[in-house]
Amino acid sequence: MALKLMYITNRSYVAQIAESAGVDRIFVDLEYIGKADRQGGMDTVQNRHTVDDVKKIRGAIEQAELLVRVNPIHEETVEYCSSEKEIDAVVHAGADIVMLPYFKTASEVRKFIKMVDGRAKTMLLFETPESIENLNQILDIKGIDEVFIGMNDLSLGYGKKFMFEVLADGTVERICMEFKQRGLPYGFGGIASLGKGMLPSEYIIKEHYKFGSTCAILSRSFCNVNQVNHIGVISNTFVNGVREIREFEEECQHYADFFNSSEAEMQTLVRKIVESLDISAASK
């Protein structure tokens, strides 16, 4: 079964190009509360999409699902509306799936499920050590449709230097097995075009198939539309990139016995990347 590929954008024409190329979900990202503080100084994606963007993308796509990440559970302040009002707004704007990020407790998840109230599918983004500590209690809650592991923030929470360390050390696999036992669809992390990324995406895709994952985000490096403005180039990038990923997935489905050797190679490569980061930090 092919991975459901997701791409983050608030640009209608990019959403349509991605959908036409075979991307399964267009991802609008409203999360910003607290994100800059915990990811400050890092080369990470920090979007500031709006409810109007949700409406715009809803009107632009026909087949792809519309996934919206809201902010962590919060009360209303002079700066922003409450979680309840935000979730109501994105549901009314046409979200098919609402994602809750950066939660730590079962109480937060219960509030989220109650606020969505069955009007859209729910997806939990496990990206804090506390959420993993409370994993079983959280997964006991009724109304969870899908789950996802946010490797960037989770690796920060565990004090890692490189986000794929939690993939190499078995952390992601252990969490995925808990999801699998509950019968929940699950995914993790982001993937670039084949052959790209500090850890080439081939290694990551193999891990998705090994763990039984069902979805993955196409990372910013897959197609950075902030750097590429030509519609033809963007279209070619999506068409060719998605096709290559799908072809590689076919190999993964038919040659599952290469996973063990691939895992050893991946672990070695991650160690080398971490060592290079240590050397780079020491030289500054």
Side-chain angles (χ1 to χ4, degrees):
M1 179 177 170
L3 293 170
K4 290 185 177 180
L5 298 178
M6 307 184 285
Y7 185 75
I8 299 175
T9 187
N10 66 340
R11 305 183 191 191
S12 296
Y13 74 95
V14 175
Q16 291 172 338
I17 289 171
E19 179 184 49
S20 296
V23 172
D24 303 283
R25 290 173 172 172
I26 304 302
F27 189 149
V28 177
D29 186 12
L30 273 61
E31 184 193 7
Y32 71 94
I33 297 174
K35 196 165 186 176
D37 291 336
R38 68 180 186 264
Q39 294 186 355
M42 298 186 67
D43 183 25
T44 56
V45 177
Q46 296 180 17
N47 302 296
R48 288 296 295 268
H49 298 171
T50 67
V51 174
D52 284 339
D53 290 322
V54 179
K55 296 176 183 177
K56 180 174 63 178
I57 298 300
R58 176 73 285 163
I61 60 177
E62 296 181 353
Q63 296 180 337
E65 290 182 297
L66 177 53
L67 168 65
V68 181
R69 174 162 57 188
V70 295
N71 281 287
I73 296 297
H74 61 278
E75 299 298 328
E76 186 168 0
T77 72
V78 294
E79 297 179 354
Y80 40 76
C81 68
S82 66
S83 282
E84 185 171 10
K85 289 181 179 178
E86 182 180 62
I87 290 170
D88 279 344
V90 302
V91 169
H92 289 141
D96 295 308
I97 308 165
V98 183
M99 173 187 278
L100 178 67
Y102 213 74
F103 58 88
K104 298 179 179 180
T105 67
S107 175
E108 293 169 276
V109 173
R110 289 191 190 95
K111 289 178 182 178
F112 169 67
I113 298 296
K114 184 177 181 180
M115 290 174 189
V116 176
D117 194 28
R119 295 174 294 170
K121 292 180 182 178
T122 59
M123 178 181 278
L124 301 184
L125 181 59
F126 284 84
E127 54 182 347
T128 67
E130 294 88 347
S131 68
I132 304 307
E133 291 170 9
N134 296 317
L135 186 63
N136 287 324
Q137 184 182 7
I138 290 169
L139 295 182
D140 282 339
I141 298 170
K142 303 295 184 183
I144 301 169
D145 293 305
E146 294 188 42
V147 286
F148 199 87
I149 302 172
M151 292 170 56
N152 188 53
D153 274 314
L154 188 61
S155 64
L156 288 174
Y158 285 136
K160 304 295 186 181
K161 299 182 179 70
F162 179 49
M163 73 180 213
F164 288 110
E165 286 185 82
V166 293
L167 185 60
D169 67 10
T171 299
V172 169
E173 182 176 14
R174 288 192 295 273
I175 300 169
C176 285
M177 293 309 100
E178 292 290 337
F179 295 155
K180 188 173 184 177
Q181 289 182 5
R182 300 295 184 119
L184 288 168
Y186 53 90
F188 59 87
I191 55 176
S193 299
L194 294 192
K196 296 183 179 179
M198 291 182 71
L199 179 65
S201 57
E202 289 89 332
Y203 290 100
I204 303 166
I205 293 170
K206 289 174 186 177
E207 296 298 289
H208 276 277
Y209 273 81
K210 179 182 177 184
F211 302 159
S213 169
T214 60
C215 61
I217 297 171
L218 294 174
S219 66
R220 176 179 53 177
S221 60
F222 177 86
C223 184
N224 190 342
V225 295
N226 292 322
Q227 296 179 354
V228 180
N229 296 316
H230 195 287
I231 291 178
V233 174
I234 294 171
S235 180
N236 285 338
T237 300
F238 271 99
V239 170
N240 293 329
V242 171
R243 174 181 52 77
E244 289 171 356
I245 288 172
R246 295 309 190 198
E247 289 174 354
F248 186 74
E249 285 186 272
E250 285 290 325
E251 294 182 34
C252 292
Q253 291 177 17
H254 291 99
Y255 300 101
D257 56 346
F258 71 178
F259 287 148
N260 289 334
S261 61
S262 173
E263 182 176 20
E265 292 175 7
M266 183 268 293
Q267 291 169 344
T268 300
L269 184 52
V270 168
R271 283 196 297 271
K272 288 180 179 178
I273 292 170
V274 173
E275 289 170 2
S276 70
L277 292 173
D278 288 337
I279 293 171
S280 177
S283 65
K284 291 182 180 179

